[in-house]
């Protein structure tokens, strides 16, 4: 490792995925001396295998704080993308034209309408439209006959998630953060006002630490009196060759990337720490994509992968400062693309000593100990 890497910082962020880097970027941009320690290429990394949606609609229907939090991030996203573009020259290719959630039966469509109407009644400003098959065909001419309708909201968008990860790394460094790879954190020692982060090679100290280690948070949190019982949830994704532009909107299962390829997503599977692909699941994903846009049946698939989501027992995030070890924070969620802007602009000021964002009071990890678990995250 480069000997010039300092042993101390104002804040040490453990984890260099989308969550850790969004927080680190926000911290460094605000002038905090920030050190990021990231495990290495053998780690499970959701940030390198996701679907790229900046998605709002339907999220948090039984936990409205999560809807508000998600919406606040979507609103801050344009500023994040523009800042990163100016500072790093990386265009993360954000577009927020609104998104479609396709329904394949009348029942599904009715349930969708009920959910979004309920959210609109509770939240007020929550625009959405329900479209029947004919309406939808007028908006998306390539749609297939198996789609009976869809919900549309203007709140949704998508980005190129790999460009986002690259931009956050470059942006954090641009503002003076140090990011060190191949540096697995194996322990955390605490003394009043100071944490010592232990790795096989070196020890680092800081008055504040942020645990943003994805699936690694489960073990690390215990060192500082936090509870983060996250577990893997596998998603498989398929990508096609590049095709002519046909879809300028993201949809929940199919999107055309900024480079022209078509991404088909994504399964939700409880298979432990197994991030391989399986043909049966990929076949279902492809089938759903073709049912949505039949012309895709003739498009060649070029790549498929599996990646592990970082999932809490109720699917909602865990954001908390330790009561027993003040200055230690855990930050983890399963929608790190969507929430990147909130993490950079609202979590980072909290870590710096500001007020905790008001929506986050309900997302402490203790809820899993006291049984106040919410039922659904989506
Ligand atoms: C198939 C799929 C589709 C998805 N689609 C979307 C989507 O459309 N929109 C959306 O918003 N989100 C989506 N997500 C979720 C999103 O990818 C994740 O929320 C996000 O990537 C999580 O980022 P993270 O930094 O917490 O975790 P990770 O990317 O897993 O990063 C954790 C980092 O911590 C490091 N680490 C772990 N342990 C240690 C340790 N002990 N010491 C040091 N470093 C450590 C690892 O090296 C790793 O780099 C999707 C995820 C999947 C799998």
């Amino acid at each position: 490792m480069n000997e010039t890497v300092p042993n101390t910082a104002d804040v040490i962020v453990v984890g260099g995925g989308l969550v850790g880097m969004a927080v680190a970027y926000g911290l460094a941009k605000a002038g905090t001396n920030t050190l990021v320690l990231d495990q290495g290429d053998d780690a499970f990394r959701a940030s390198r295998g996701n679907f790229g949606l900046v998605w709002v609609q339907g999220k948090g229907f039984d936990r409205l704080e999560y809807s508000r939090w998600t919406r606040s991030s979507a609103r801050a996203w344009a500023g994040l993308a523009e800042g990163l573009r100016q500072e790093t020259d990386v265009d993360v290719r954000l577009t927020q034209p609104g998104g479609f959630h396709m329904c394949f039966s009348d029942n599904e469509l009715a349930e969708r309408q009920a959910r979004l109407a309920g959210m609109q009644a509770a939240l007020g400003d929550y625009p959405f439209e329900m479209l029947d098959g004919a309406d939808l065909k007028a908006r998306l001419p390539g749609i297939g006959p198996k789609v009976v309708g869809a919900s549309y909201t203007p709140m949704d968008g998508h980005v190129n998630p790999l460009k986002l990860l690259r931009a956050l790394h470059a942006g954090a460094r641009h503002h003076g953060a140090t990011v060190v790879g191949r540096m697995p954190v194996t322990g955390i020692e605490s003394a009043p006002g100071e944490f010592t982060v232990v790795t096989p090679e070196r020890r680092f100290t800081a008055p504040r630490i942020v645990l943003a280690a994805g699936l690694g948070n489960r073990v690390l949190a215990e060192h500082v009196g936090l509870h983060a019982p996250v577990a893997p949830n596998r998603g498989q994704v398929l990508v096609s060759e590049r095709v002519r532009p046909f879809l300028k909107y993201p949809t929940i299962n199919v999107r055309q990337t900024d480079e022209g390829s078509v991404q088909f997503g994504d399964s939700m599977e409880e298979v432990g720490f197994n991030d391989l692909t399986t043909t049966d699941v990929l076949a279902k994903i492809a089938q759903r994509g073709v049912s949505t846009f039949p012309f895709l049946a003739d498009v060649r698939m070029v790549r498929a992968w599996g990646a592990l989501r970082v999932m809490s027992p109720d699917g909602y995030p865990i954001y908390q400062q330790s009561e027993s070890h003040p200055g230690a924070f855990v930050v983890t969620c399963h929608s790190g693309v969507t929430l990147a802007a909130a993490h950079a602009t609202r979590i980072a000021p909290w870590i710096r000593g500001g007020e905790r964002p008001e929506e986050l009071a309900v997302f402490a990890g203790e809820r899993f100990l006291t049984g106040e678990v919410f039922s659904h995250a989506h």
Side-chain angles (χ1 to χ4, degrees):
M1 188 192 71
N2 187 339
E3 291 306 320
T4 61
V5 171
N7 291 324
T8 59
D10 294 338
V11 179
I12 294 174
V13 177
V14 183
L18 284 172
V19 171
M21 291 315 301
V23 173
Y25 170 71
L27 287 169
K29 190 166 179 161
T32 302
N33 175 4
T34 305
L35 172 64
V36 181
L37 305 175
D38 191 44
Q39 185 175 350
D41 288 340
D42 51 346
F44 291 106
R45 290 164 150 174
S47 303
R48 287 160 170 80
N50 65 70
F51 197 60
L53 298 178
V54 175
W55 200 258
V56 176
Q57 66 163 293
K59 280 185 172 171
F61 76 100
D62 67 347
R63 188 37 73 171
L64 296 174
E65 292 87 344
Y66 188 61
S67 310
R68 294 195 186 97
W69 181 241
T70 300
R71 187 89 189 271
S72 88
S73 192
R75 285 192 167 117
W77 239 106
L80 174 69
E82 182 52 23
L84 289 170
R85 196 189 60 72
Q86 283 175 12
E87 293 155 6
T88 69
D89 256 356
V90 180
D91 182 346
V92 301
R93 305 307 295 260
L94 171 74
T95 62
Q96 293 177 291
F100 292 87
H101 181 116
M102 308 306 179
C103 297
F104 292 89
S105 71
D106 291 333
N107 249 353
E108 214 187 314
L109 197 62
E111 274 175 21
R112 188 82 192 148
Q113 170 145 32
R115 173 185 293 208
L116 296 181
M119 294 183 77
Q120 189 176 60
L123 291 162
D125 175 24
Y126 198 82
F128 78 95
E129 288 172 68
M130 297 305 300
L131 307 170
D132 64 19
D135 289 342
L136 188 58
K137 190 130 189 108
R139 301 258 191 115
L140 302 177
I143 208 84
K146 290 189 180 157
V147 183
V148 302
S151 58
Y152 166 82
T153 79
M155 304 181 284
D156 304 312
H158 58 159
V159 289
N160 181 314
L162 293 178
K163 287 180 183 164
L164 171 62
L165 186 61
R166 198 173 121 222
L168 288 171
H169 274 258
R173 288 192 163 108
H174 171 82
H175 290 294
T178 304
V179 184
V180 191
R182 294 194 290 277
M183 193 57 64
V185 172
T186 50
I188 304 167
E189 297 166 6
S190 21
E194 186 174 275
F195 296 95
T196 299
V197 174
V198 182
T199 76
E201 278 182 50
R202 282 179 56 174
R203 296 159 70 85
F204 303 88
T205 58
R208 283 168 193 256
I209 54 170
V210 179
L211 303 181
L215 291 166
N217 274 345
R218 186 180 190 111
V219 170
L220 293 176
E222 305 291 335
H223 290 274
V224 287
L226 288 163
H227 187 57
V230 287
N233 176 284
R234 184 171 72 186
Q236 299 188 46
V237 178
L238 263 171
V239 174
S240 79
E241 63 184 330
R242 294 174 190 194
V243 298
R244 64 175 170 77
F246 76 100
L247 182 61
K248 75 172 179 142
Y249 300 92
T251 81
I252 191 79
N253 293 122
V254 178
R255 73 181 192 97
Q256 186 163 29
T257 72
D258 55 298
E259 289 168 349
S261 57
V262 184
Q263 266 199 335
F264 298 65
D266 43 357
S267 56
M268 296 195 85
E269 304 163 72
E270 305 283 344
V271 290
F273 285 89
N274 173 344
D275 64 356
L276 302 176
T277 55
T278 58
T279 41
D280 56 334
V281 172
L282 289 172
K284 279 191 197 136
I285 290 172
Q287 193 53 54
R288 190 169 49 195
V290 169
S291 296
T292 310
F293 295 104
F295 88 93
L296 292 174
D298 298 323
V299 168
R300 272 174 300 202
M301 296 299 132
V302 294
R303 219 164 49 247
W305 65 81
L308 301 183
R309 293 184 187 84
V310 182
M311 203 57 101
S312 73
D314 61 10
Y316 285 110
I318 304 172
Y319 297 115
Q320 189 174 5
Q321 176 168 200
S322 173
E323 279 178 26
S324 58
H325 299 66
F329 295 77
V330 62
V331 179
T332 190
C333 70
H334 87 90
S335 282
V337 179
T338 305
L339 296 174
H343 292 161
T345 61
R346 298 190 64 202
I347 292 284
W350 175 38
I351 309 275
R352 279 167 55 79
E355 286 292 302
R356 177 179 61 194
E358 58 183 350
E359 300 93 323
L360 302 192
V362 295
F363 295 121
E366 266 79 39
R367 69 183 187 270
F368 303 113
L369 298 172
T370 58
E372 291 165 47
V373 175
F374 321 131
S375 54
H376 302 282
H378 297 286

